[in-house]
């Protein structure tokens, strides 16, 4: 199951990371780099939906795919946030909260799986809403201009990323509260 079409799409998100980062090191006009990075991010972010849909449609779901998919998402989001911090479009504290939550919840899920309680920290709608908000905010911030002469993407991207940050904290508290009874039961 390492090379099915859905898994290849997931791998594509990981391969995209140095490409998106590398665009900003090219000697091209900043607006062109912004546009290329934005298009690449959107295309690769859409593979998150496509790989899951194809895996179910083609009956190619696998434990490896279920593991790799969220890892690819986290790599793509974290790398993009670091680029945006470097470009001065995202405050480092916002990136730290989002990246720190991803590390903490991934570790919590691993630990809960080891004690046989992974269902208590299964993906919840709050986590999905957080991810969706991030996936809309990041391309706005990568683009960093006026879209169709009407939408200030830096303003909207910043607002959406702040909403995502609130959802990040809220979802982390939610997962920790769900895990706490299992942690207490196993610790005692």
């Amino acid at each position: 199951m390492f090379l099915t079409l859905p898994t290849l799409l997931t791998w594509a998100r990981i391969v995209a990371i140095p490409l998106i980062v590398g665009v900003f090191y090219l000697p091209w006009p900043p607006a062109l780099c912004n546009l290329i990075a934005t298009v690449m991010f959107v295309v690769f972010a859409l593979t998150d939906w496509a790989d899951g849909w194809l895996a179910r449609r083609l009956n190619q779901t696998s434990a490896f795919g279920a593991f790799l998919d969220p890892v690819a998402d986290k790599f793509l989001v974290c790398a993009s946030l670091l680029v945006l911090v470097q470009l001065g479009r995202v405050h480092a504290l916002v990136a730290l909260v989002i990246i720190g939550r991803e590390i903490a919840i991934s570790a919590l899920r691993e630990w809960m799986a080891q004690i046989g309680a992974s269902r208590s920290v299964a993906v919840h709608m709050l986590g999905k809403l957080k991810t969706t908000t991030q996936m809309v905010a990041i391309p706005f911030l990568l683009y960093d201009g006026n879209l169709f002469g009407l939408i200030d993407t830096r303003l909207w991207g910043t607002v959406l990323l702040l909403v995502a940050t609130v959802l990040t904290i809220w979802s982390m508290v939610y997962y920790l509260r769900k895990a706490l009874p299992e942690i207490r039961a196993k610790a005692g």
Side-chain angles (χ1 to χ4, degrees):
M1 289 303 212
F2 291 105
L3 296 178
T4 63
L5 181 57
T7 306
L8 288 173
L9 287 175
T10 304
W11 281 114
R13 281 202 305 285
I14 294 171
V15 171
I17 294 164
L19 299 176
I20 292 171
V21 172
V23 163
F24 291 101
Y25 290 95
L26 295 173
W28 297 344
L32 180 60
C33 294
N34 291 345
L35 177 63
I36 292 169
T38 302
V39 169
M40 287 176 29
F41 182 90
V42 169
V43 167
F44 287 111
L46 287 174
T47 66
D48 183 30
W49 170 82
D51 64 14
W53 183 82
L54 283 170
R56 289 184 297 278
R57 181 90 172 171
L58 301 174
N59 197 26
Q60 294 181 343
T61 59
S62 68
F64 179 72
F67 155 76
L68 190 62
D69 184 65
V71 170
D73 294 343
K74 287 168 185 25
F75 277 157
L76 184 61
V77 167
C78 292
S80 297
L81 285 173
L82 291 174
V83 166
L84 291 168
V85 167
Q86 177 67 29
L87 294 170
R89 299 177 195 171
V90 170
H91 194 281
L93 183 59
V94 170
L96 180 62
V97 166
I98 292 171
I99 293 169
R101 181 262 187 210
E102 297 303 341
I103 293 168
I105 297 304
S106 293
L108 177 65
R109 285 193 171 121
E110 182 179 333
W111 185 25
M112 296 305 282
Q114 287 178 2
I115 64 172
S118 57
R119 294 191 79 188
S120 64
V121 287
V123 176
H124 183 267
M125 186 51 79
L126 264 177
K128 291 181 179 188
L129 185 58
K130 178 244 351 151
T131 299
T132 302
T133 307
Q134 287 174 351
M135 294 299 205
V136 174
I138 290 171
F140 274 13
L141 290 164
L142 287 170
Y143 186 75
D144 194 41
N146 283 317
L147 193 59
F148 311 117
L150 300 170
I151 301 168
D152 180 345
T153 62
R154 186 180 289 205
L155 172 67
W156 281 102
T158 301
V159 168
L160 287 169
L161 199 60
L162 290 175
V163 169
T165 304
V166 169
L167 291 169
T168 294
I169 295 166
W170 187 4
S171 66
M172 183 171 70
V173 169
Y174 172 83
Y175 290 125
L176 290 171
R177 288 185 67 203
K178 293 290 281 184
L180 197 55
E182 295 289 343
I183 294 169
R184 284 186 177 145
K186 298 294 181 182

